[in-house]
Amino acid sequence: MSQPAARPVPTGPYRRMPLQPAGSVPVDFTSVGIAESLDTATRWPDHSHTVHELLWNDAGPSTLRAGPRTWTVTPAIGLWLPAGTVHSAEAPAGTVYRATYFSLEVAGEAARPLPTEPVSLRVTGLLRELLLRLGEEGLNEHSRRLTETMVLDVLAPAPHQFLVHEPTAGLLQPIVAAVLADPADARTLGDWSQQLKVSERTITRAFRAETGLGFARWVGSVRIQRATTLLADGEPLEDIAEAMGYRSPSAFGAAFRKLTGTTPSSLRG
């Protein structure tokens, strides 16, 4: 199957886009895709789309933020973004990203309800080929609608959501700042309890109230997201393990599998 070429984009590091509530702008398509190759690190400030968006990359990592949550997008991990979701995004130079937009009408015809919140998706071989088919020139209307139906039918949340929910509670800000600055920070819940002069239970309750995770799982989610970005960028496993604070690649692999149910190499795209 021929793959639509990604066009180089030399337009600069900061792109403004409009805020469009769901369904606020009429569209003349049922689905449409774009592919761009970035020659410079690029940021998109807060914006939203009148239609649904499915993001995935051909090469490199990118991140997308909606409220306090930040998702990773790579060649192996896509993201479903419902219409009207306000979000920002950024990607380093060399990233090749793809986006397929679906009208509210065609999405409303899906055989099962589609996610109403942003959700990570595994970009399987089948999903990838179906999305590429939607980008083929000369695809007739019948084939397009059939392919759209199949795409929407095979969409399924990834077993692990590759996101970090950043808590805002004042108590947790020293922890959040330290771990986001250095995921290898080895301080334990007990260490933070002593440093902040509160009980371990108080810290755990604060994390669970905002993120649904305890301290250790939240730290793990930061490490997994950062590691996933490095994996998509082609960094060696030894370097990733060290940067994430693990004693060895095997220790990193074991922790990665425990949290995600898959191996680090499977997410290289």
Side-chain angles (χ1 to χ4, degrees):
M1 181 176 296
S2 63
Q3 180 169 324
R7 58 188 178 89
V9 178
T11 53
Y14 199 76
R15 292 199 223 167
R16 293 191 179 277
M17 299 180 70
L19 288 165
Q20 296 178 327
S24 61
V25 179
V27 297
D28 59 1
F29 60 82
T30 53
S31 66
V32 66
I34 63 171
E36 296 185 345
S37 176
L38 303 174
D39 68 355
T40 185
T42 303
R43 294 185 62 203
W44 294 259
D46 277 353
H47 62 283
S48 59
H49 305 289
T50 188
V51 293
H52 302 299
E53 181 179 22
L54 195 161
L55 289 164
W56 54 291
N57 293 352
D58 273 344
S62 53
T63 56
L64 183 145
R65 185 178 179 93
R69 297 171 295 174
T70 301
W71 285 263
T72 301
V73 179
T74 75
I77 305 164
L79 182 70
W80 173 261
L81 197 66
T85 303
V86 178
H87 61 284
S88 59
E90 60 182 88
T95 296
V96 181
Y97 81 90
R98 291 182 178 271
T100 304
Y101 299 94
F102 295 90
S103 71
L104 302 190
E105 289 74 21
V106 73
E109 297 172 2
R112 54 185 175 181
L114 295 171
T116 58
E117 294 286 334
V119 62
S120 295
L121 309 167
R122 287 302 300 271
V123 182
T124 63
L126 174 59
L127 179 57
R128 183 186 300 269
E129 292 301 317
L130 289 170
L131 290 169
L132 291 176
R133 187 169 193 248
L134 286 177
E136 288 184 341
E137 293 185 8
L139 192 66
N140 64 51
E141 184 64 20
H142 173 75
S143 295
R144 172 170 295 281
R145 295 306 292 269
L146 181 61
T147 305
E148 290 166 345
T149 298
M150 293 177 67
V151 167
L152 297 176
D153 191 54
V154 302
L155 289 183
H160 175 86
Q161 290 299 294
F162 292 83
L163 70 90
V164 169
H165 188 133
E166 186 176 327
T168 59
L171 169 67
L172 302 180
Q173 292 315 295
I175 304 175
V176 171
V179 176
L180 292 181
D182 179 16
D185 191 305
R187 278 173 284 188
T188 66
L189 179 59
D191 294 333
W192 282 112
S193 173
Q194 291 182 2
Q195 182 172 331
L196 299 177
K197 296 180 172 55
V198 296
S199 69
E200 294 183 16
R201 180 175 295 181
T202 296
I203 295 174
T204 297
R205 278 201 303 260
F207 267 109
R208 290 196 183 281
E210 288 200 61
T211 71
L213 303 175
F215 166 80
R217 294 284 293 190
W218 184 83
V219 172
S221 73
V222 174
R223 289 177 173 176
I224 291 302
Q225 184 182 72
R226 196 69 57 83
T228 300
T229 299
L230 296 174
L231 286 165
D233 225 15
E235 295 292 330
L237 285 179
E238 293 82 359
D239 294 348
I240 297 175
E242 181 179 358
M244 296 302 106
Y246 295 99
R247 297 185 306 277
S248 65
S250 60
F252 163 62
F256 196 95
R257 286 192 298 273
K258 182 178 180 180
L259 287 171
T260 69
T262 190
T263 63
S265 59
S266 71
L267 298 186
R268 285 205 184 271

